[in-house]
């Protein structure tokens, strides 16, 4: 049995969880609405302010796959419940001389040392805020109720200028520590 899959998910006040006949679980809350299709080998029970996921023993899927699905879908449903009630927030920091960022609605413009600016249009589910203060690194703050979508967008933005270990430049998550390397001159002694 999956240890994570066994744990019940408590439903906070203001959040509703519903399951359709085709196995789609829908979660509605103050921050938005999310839905996820759950495999037929997992049964979802919604009872007295809790969601419990159980393995369907009559399913044709092998036991190892059922256990993997059990933990996976429990985590996905839990992430949806937390997302629509509290939301998720990621902060990216641009470290480098001349790196700038600005946004107009959900369109972000990055200046990252290339010959051209980079534009990215964010999905409407994500709220963006940029901060550029004097003598501080520019910051991009992304908020959403969908943890998967937020992670994908952060990975895409980070891919524009990955952090490098020699000078420590690039797009980093705030608070992230880059393991630094010494260059050629340090090893040539």
């Amino acid at each position: 049995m999956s240890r994570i899959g066994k744990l019940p998910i408590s439903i906070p006040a203001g959040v509703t969880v519903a399951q359709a006949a085709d196995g789609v679980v829908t979660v509605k809350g103050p921050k938005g609405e999310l839905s996820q299709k759950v495999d037929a080998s997992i049964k979802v029970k919604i009872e007295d302010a809790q969601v419990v996921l159980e393995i369907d023993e009559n399913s044709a899927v092998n036991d190892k796959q059922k256990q993997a699905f059990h933990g996976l879908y429990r985590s996905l449903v839990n992430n949806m419940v937390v997302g629509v009630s509290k939301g998720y927030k990621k902060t990216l920091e641009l470290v480098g001389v001349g790196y700038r960022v600005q946004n107009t609605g959900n369109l972000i413009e990055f200046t990252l040392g290339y010959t051209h600016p980079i534009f990215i249009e964010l999905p409407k589910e994500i709220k963006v805020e940029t901060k550029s203060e004097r003598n501080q690194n520019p910051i991009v703050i992304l908020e959403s109720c969908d943890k998967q979508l937020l992670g994908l967008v952060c990975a895409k933005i980070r891919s524009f200028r990955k952090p490098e270990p020699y000078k420590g430049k690039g797009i980093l998550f705030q608070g992230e520590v880059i393991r630094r390397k010494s260059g050629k001159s340090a090893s040539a002694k």
Side-chain angles (χ1 to χ4, degrees):
M1 289 287 291
S2 169
R3 291 183 193 166
I4 293 172
K6 284 186 206 175
L7 300 173
I9 303 165
S10 60
I11 303 171
V15 175
T16 58
V17 180
Q19 183 183 16
D22 58 348
V24 176
V25 175
T26 306
V27 182
K28 292 180 187 174
K31 299 265 184 186
E33 179 180 344
L34 297 170
S35 60
Q36 173 69 44
K37 176 138 178 51
V38 177
D39 194 76
S41 63
I42 304 296
K43 292 188 280 189
V44 180
K45 292 183 180 177
I46 304 162
E47 50 198 28
D48 40 275
Q50 285 190 334
V51 179
V52 180
L53 281 80
E54 295 175 352
I55 295 175
D56 184 8
E57 298 300 332
N58 300 330
S59 177
V61 180
N62 68 7
D63 288 339
K64 200 165 191 166
Q65 187 65 51
K66 284 181 197 174
Q67 290 175 4
F69 280 160
H70 194 204
L72 168 74
Y73 287 116
R74 190 266 176 203
S75 292
L76 290 176
V77 172
N78 186 51
N79 288 345
M80 291 193 312
V81 169
V82 172
V84 298
S85 60
K86 297 178 187 171
Y88 291 101
K89 184 177 185 179
K90 296 266 188 181
T91 306
L92 297 166
E93 189 174 356
L94 282 66
V95 179
V97 177
Y99 289 6
R100 291 192 305 273
V101 64
Q102 60 188 16
N103 71 307
T104 311
N106 273 13
L107 180 71
I108 306 178
E109 178 186 354
F110 291 95
T111 306
L112 299 172
Y114 296 117
T115 58
H116 57 282
I118 299 171
F119 294 92
I120 183 171
E121 178 77 39
L122 298 180
K124 61 180 173 23
E125 294 89 9
I126 295 182
K127 293 179 185 73
V128 64
E129 181 186 347
T130 57
K131 292 182 183 177
S132 297
E133 296 176 11
R134 192 167 173 82
N135 297 327
Q136 297 281 322
N137 292 326
I139 292 175
V140 180
I141 301 167
L142 301 166
E143 290 184 63
S144 178
C145 63
D146 191 346
K147 190 174 185 178
Q148 285 178 310
L149 182 63
L150 188 64
L152 284 171
V153 169
C154 286
K156 179 66 177 172
I157 290 173
R158 197 176 151 97
S159 73
F160 296 149
R161 199 54 110 164
K162 290 187 177 147
E164 55 95 15
Y166 297 101
K167 292 184 180 178
K169 293 169 42 173
I171 300 176
L172 316 126
F173 288 107
Q174 196 166 38
E176 181 181 5
V177 178
I178 299 297
R179 213 165 105 196
R180 302 291 296 273
K181 292 182 179 179
S182 57
K184 290 181 193 175
S185 61
S187 62
K189 289 183 178 182

